[in-house]
């Protein structure tokens, strides 16, 4: 009798599992099970698992005016999947149905069904249900059966009949409950895996699209970037039409279904207004009459943000729509809108960075060392009487320096332009140094068109003059070199001055100095070309200094040395 009962109960639980498998293939059901916990989810899951509990009762085996069945499995799984509230109502539905069938165990069985649902709900709050180990599942199933059997023994009368009943059905019902719970947990684990796979596919598509749109969104949200972005999204997402708006107007629309429709701007504005009003992803399949007129099934739209403020919308238009495609596109639109918002933020950050760099260059161009200016004017005044021609040349060199700074526009210029400004500066310094200074330039003429950041050499030369050579009494030498070095151009400024102390070098590398010194040059080079570039300083006190740096090469040719002194 026990073995026959076990087979019948297994047949019973198999029918319930088959129903669960069929329902589990529905996208709607999976989204309900693993979606946000709201009233609709509670109602649907309570009804579903309550229904499974009822089926377990209906397929029960008549034993001594009672039923041996798998009723508590539906309530128990309902609590595990849906939480305590779902477990309670699923158990209540199954319990009321069992009570309506009558029998001396009706009240006890109805109550134990509710308790089983609550037990599953409590466990779901304490543990990650989908990661429960086998021994935990066995323990849970046995505990649920014990609760049912103790409840029957405590409430059902006559007690002797209740005891005889439980002695007869205890083993087969417990075995079936354990097996049923194992199977259900596997079913729902597979459903979660399927759901995660769909989510992963959507995330991968969103990331793929975002990687394609990134170069265009670097300019921010405008008509050109919106047009290119909409083209990429429509092609990769395989939707019928894509529209991108800002807060005031339609920036771009791609897709024949809307491009050929004259009032498309007004239509997209309606959708954008709904998105701004609800401040979330919007799905519409009935609300707009124009959907039917364009033979469209639905529209999905999400807001675009900048600094937590809504600045536009991303809209998908679909001719064919099912729950599955709608849910997939809902996630895709939401994910893409978030990624595009991040790209818009990055574009703003990049724009501000460029503005700061330009402001720094402008400040450098406007910054002339006041000591240099006063000393130069003093030198000119002293020559006005003794050597007017020399004074005239010095005035010309000083005016060349000012003219060079004023005419330099943009962030870079050629090596030749940089050297012209330095030459005028050095002509003045040679007069101030009297006969102590000798300057040599060893420049590969094919590199004269090489692009350099503005004012990148002059601070290094000034540093060599003022801190390296000026303290020397005689034999001051300065060499400026520019040569090809693989894919780069190497530029070095060498002096035979007093050198740089270790303390001063440490200060330079710590980026503490401000202004137009070596630290500033080093920082600018790394900001423009990357961390592998920057200044290299080779110096020892008393042995002079070599300051060099590399920049990516833009031209090549043979070595030609130009020397001046």
């Amino acid at each position: 009798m026990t073995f026959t009962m076990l087979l019948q109960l297994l047949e019973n639980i198999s029918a319930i599992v088959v129903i669960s498998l069929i329902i589990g293939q529905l996208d709607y059901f999976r989204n309900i099970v693993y979606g946000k916990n709201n009233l609709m989810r509670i109602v649907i899951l309570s009804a579903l698992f309550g229904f499974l509990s009822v089926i377990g009762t209906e397929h029960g085996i008549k034993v001594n005016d009672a039923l041996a069945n798998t009723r508590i499995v539906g309530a128990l799984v309902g609590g595990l999947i849906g939480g305590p509230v779902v477990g309670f109502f699923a158990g209540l539905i199954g319990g009321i149905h069992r009570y309506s069938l009558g029998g001396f165990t009706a009240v006890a069985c109805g109550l134990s069904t509710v308790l089983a649902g609550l037990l599953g709900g409590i466990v779901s709050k304490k543990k990650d249900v989908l990661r429960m180990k086998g021994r935990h599942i066995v323990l849970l199933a046995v505990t649920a059966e014990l609760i049912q059997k103790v409840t029957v023994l405590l409430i059902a009368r006559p007690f002797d009949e209740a005891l005889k009943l439980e002695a007869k059905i205890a083993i087969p019902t417990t075995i079936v409950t354990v097996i049923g719970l194992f199977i259900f947990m596997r079913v729902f684990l597979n459903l979660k895996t399927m759901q995660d796979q769909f989510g992963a596919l959507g995330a991968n598509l969103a990331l793929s699209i975002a990687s394609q749109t990134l170069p265009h969104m670097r300019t921010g949200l405008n008509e050109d970037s919106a047009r290119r972005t909409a083209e990429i999204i429509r092609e990769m997402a395989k939707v019928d039409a894509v529209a991108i708006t800002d807060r005031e107007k339609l920036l771009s629309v791609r897709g024949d279904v809307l491009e050929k429709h004259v009032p498309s701007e007004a239509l997209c504005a309606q959708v954008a207004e709904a998105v701004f009003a609800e401040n979330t992803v919007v799905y519409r399949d009935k609300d707009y009459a124009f959907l039917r007129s364009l033979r469209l099934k639905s529209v999905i739209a999400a807001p675009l943000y900048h600094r937590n403020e809504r600045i536009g919308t991303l809209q998908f238009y679909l001719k064919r729509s099912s729950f599955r495609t709608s849910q997939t596109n809902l996630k895709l639109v939401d994910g893409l809108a978030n990624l595009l918002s991040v790209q818009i933020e990055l574009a703003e950050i990049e724009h501000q960075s460029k503005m700061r760099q330009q402001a720094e260059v402008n400040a450098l161009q406007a910054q002339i060392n006041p000591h240099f200016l006063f000393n130069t004017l003093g030198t000119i005044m002293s020559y006005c009487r003794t050597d007017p021609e020399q004074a005239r040349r010095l005035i010309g060199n000083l005016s060349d320096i000012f003219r060079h700074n004023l005419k330099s526009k943009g962030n870079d210029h050629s090596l030749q332009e940089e050297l012209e400004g330095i030459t005028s500066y050095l002509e003045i310094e040679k007069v101030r140094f009297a006969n102590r200074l000798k300057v040599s330039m060893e420049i590969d003429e094919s590199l004269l068109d090489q692009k350099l950041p503005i004012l990148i050499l002059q601070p290094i030369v000034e540093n060599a003059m003022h801190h390296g050579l000026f303290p020397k009494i005689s034999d001051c030498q300065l060499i400026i070199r520019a040569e090809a070095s693989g894919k780069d151009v190497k530029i070095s400024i060498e002096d035979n001055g007093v050198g740089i102390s270790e303390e001063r070098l440490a200060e330079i590398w710590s980026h503490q100095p401000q202004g137009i010194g070596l630290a500033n040059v080093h920082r600018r080079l790394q900001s423009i070309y990357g961390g592998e570039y920057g200044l290299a300083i080779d110096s020892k006190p008393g042995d002079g200094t070599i300051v060099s740096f590399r920049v990516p090469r833009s031209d090549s040719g043979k070595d030609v040395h130009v020397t001046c002194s």
Side-chain angles (χ1 to χ4, degrees):
M1 175 65 180
T2 301
F3 182 71
T4 304
M5 185 185 298
L6 178 61
L7 290 178
Q8 290 177 315
L9 290 174
L10 286 173
E11 183 180 345
N12 184 348
I13 200 71
S14 298
I16 297 175
V17 169
V18 169
I19 293 173
S20 300
L21 284 171
I22 294 172
I23 295 175
Q25 298 307 307
L26 302 175
D27 294 309
Y28 181 80
F29 174 72
R30 289 200 302 273
N31 282 287
I32 288 293
V33 170
Y34 299 109
K36 293 181 179 179
N37 192 29
N38 50 35
L39 181 60
M40 178 177 289
R41 179 177 183 269
I42 291 172
V43 170
I44 292 174
L45 292 183
S46 297
L48 173 64
F49 289 107
F51 172 68
L52 295 179
S53 183
V54 169
I55 292 177
T57 302
E58 287 293 333
H59 286 76
I61 304 167
K62 204 93 163 135
V63 180
N64 298 348
D65 195 31
L67 288 172
N69 57 67
T70 58
R71 179 185 60 257
I72 66 169
V73 175
L76 183 61
V77 174
L80 287 172
I81 300 301
V85 177
V86 170
F88 172 78
F89 282 108
L92 187 63
I93 293 170
I96 291 174
H97 173 262
R98 173 63 188 89
Y99 177 77
S100 68
L101 297 179
F104 77 98
T105 61
V107 174
C109 288
L111 178 59
S112 65
T113 308
V114 176
L115 294 176
L118 286 173
L119 174 64
I122 292 171
V123 171
S124 73
K125 291 294 184 182
K126 302 292 184 181
K127 293 188 71 66
D128 184 348
V129 174
L130 295 178
R131 294 186 178 181
M132 285 177 62
K133 296 181 179 179
R135 64 177 181 272
H136 296 144
I137 295 175
V138 172
L139 180 61
L140 178 60
V142 171
T143 302
E145 279 292 333
L146 283 175
I147 290 174
Q148 176 173 249
K149 296 181 187 328
V150 170
T151 305
V152 169
L153 292 175
L154 289 175
I155 296 177
R157 293 294 180 268
F159 178 79
D160 291 342
E161 289 297 321
L163 184 60
K164 187 185 300 183
L165 170 68
E166 292 303 334
K168 187 178 295 186
I169 69 173
I171 293 177
T173 54
T174 301
I175 292 174
V176 170
T177 299
V178 171
I179 294 174
L181 190 56
F182 259 110
I183 296 174
F184 266 105
M185 297 310 296
R186 173 53 60 182
V187 167
F188 282 98
L189 180 60
N190 289 339
L191 294 182
K192 182 65 167 66
T193 301
M194 291 175 62
Q195 190 76 356
D196 290 343
Q197 287 175 344
F198 283 126
L201 289 173
N204 286 336
L205 179 57
L207 289 172
S208 297
I209 293 174
S211 67
Q212 297 293 320
T213 60
L214 180 59
H216 308 299
M217 294 302 293
R218 293 181 69 175
T219 60
L221 184 62
N222 52 57
E223 291 187 2
D224 182 60
S225 65
R227 175 179 59 80
R228 295 175 182 273
T229 298
E231 288 174 352
I232 292 170
I233 293 175
R234 180 173 177 268
E235 180 179 344
M236 296 184 69
K238 308 299 182 186
V239 293
D240 296 294
V242 175
I244 298 177
T245 73
D246 60 15
R247 285 201 66 92
E248 299 176 354
K249 64 181 182 299
L250 175 65
L251 295 177
S252 179
V253 60
R254 284 294 175 268
D256 293 342
V257 67
L258 285 183
E259 285 185 87
K260 295 180 180 179
H261 195 71
V262 177
S264 59
E265 185 165 352
L267 305 181
C268 296
Q270 276 187 271
V271 178
E273 186 177 343
V275 173
F276 292 142
E278 299 185 25
N279 195 26
T280 187
V281 181
V282 168
Y283 172 78
R284 294 287 187 272
D285 57 358
K286 301 174 183 176
D287 297 4
Y288 301 121
F290 74 80
L291 289 176
R292 294 188 294 274
S293 67
L294 297 176
R295 296 182 180 179
L296 290 168
K297 291 290 185 181
S298 61
V299 56
I300 304 171
L304 300 174
Y305 290 93
H306 175 55
R307 295 181 180 176
N308 295 323
E309 292 185 5
R310 300 182 298 276
I311 61 166
T313 63
L314 172 64
Q315 304 174 10
F316 279 17
Y317 292 85
L318 307 169
K319 285 185 177 180
R320 296 180 179 83
S321 182
S322 64
F323 182 82
R324 175 173 175 177
T325 57
S326 297
Q327 291 299 309
T328 301
N329 283 317
L330 271 170
K331 294 177 182 177
L332 178 59
V333 171
D334 189 24
L336 266 179
N338 289 329
L339 289 171
L340 292 177
S341 298
V342 170
Q343 291 179 357
I344 292 169
E345 294 278 359
L346 292 175
E348 176 67 18
I349 292 172
E350 185 175 353
H351 176 66
Q352 291 179 356
S353 176
K354 288 181 178 179
M355 290 181 63
R356 284 195 298 269
Q357 289 179 6
Q358 185 60 51
E360 184 181 53
V361 170
N362 293 339
L364 291 175
Q365 289 176 302
Q367 187 172 354
I368 296 293
N369 191 317
H371 295 292
F372 168 73
L373 180 60
F374 295 148
N375 290 335
T376 301
L377 291 175
T379 302
I380 292 172
M381 289 178 62
S382 66
Y383 276 105
C384 283
R385 294 181 180 178
T386 60
D387 191 346
E389 184 63 23
Q390 181 71 285
R392 185 183 66 79
R393 287 195 295 270
L394 289 174
I395 292 173
N397 289 326
L398 185 61
S399 65
D400 286 342
I401 293 174
F402 280 103
R403 187 182 303 109
H404 180 265
N405 283 346
L406 289 173
K407 76 176 183 179
S408 296
K409 300 297 181 183
N411 294 325
D412 55 37
H413 59 184
S414 67
L415 173 61
Q416 181 171 354
E417 290 172 312
E418 184 81 357
L419 291 175
E420 287 173 356
I422 290 174
T423 300
S424 298
Y425 166 77
L426 290 175
E427 288 298 324
I428 294 175
E429 289 291 16
K430 281 196 291 185
V431 172
R432 292 183 55 223
F433 271 70
N435 296 322
R436 291 187 297 147
L437 178 64
K438 180 179 180 181
V439 178
S440 297
M441 292 191 183
E442 300 174 3
I443 309 298
D444 180 343
E445 286 189 344
S446 66
L447 300 177
L448 290 176
D449 291 331
Q450 169 71 36
K451 292 297 182 182
L452 293 176
I454 287 177
L455 287 176
I456 209 71
L457 283 180
Q458 184 167 326
I460 303 175
V461 172
E462 287 186 11
N463 185 81
M465 298 295 297
H466 287 248
H467 301 290
L469 296 175
F470 194 76
K472 286 194 68 172
I473 298 176
S474 62
D475 189 26
C476 299
Q477 295 184 13
L478 181 74
I479 303 173
I480 300 174
R481 296 188 180 92
E483 56 189 347
S485 178
K487 295 182 179 180
D488 296 331
V489 172
K490 182 180 179 181
I491 298 175
S492 59
I493 293 89
E494 179 180 354
D495 68 72
N496 65 342
V498 298
I500 303 176
S501 67
E502 292 184 2
E503 292 78 9
R504 173 61 178 165
L505 280 174
E507 184 182 341
I508 292 172
W509 297 132
S510 67
H511 301 276
Q512 291 176 358
Q514 301 296 319
I516 59 174
L518 298 182
N520 179 278
V521 173
H522 180 68
R523 190 166 54 246
R524 286 178 62 204
L525 285 169
Q526 290 193 324
S527 173
I528 295 169
Y529 300 116
E532 67 271 26
Y533 291 90
L535 291 184
I537 303 177
D538 181 13
S539 179
K540 290 182 180 180
D543 290 339
T545 301
I546 301 176
V547 179
S548 61
F549 63 90
R550 295 175 298 109
V551 294
R553 188 176 180 182
S554 58
D555 200 359
S556 62
K558 61 181 181 179
D559 288 335
V560 179
H561 297 291
V562 180
T563 304
C564 65
S565 60

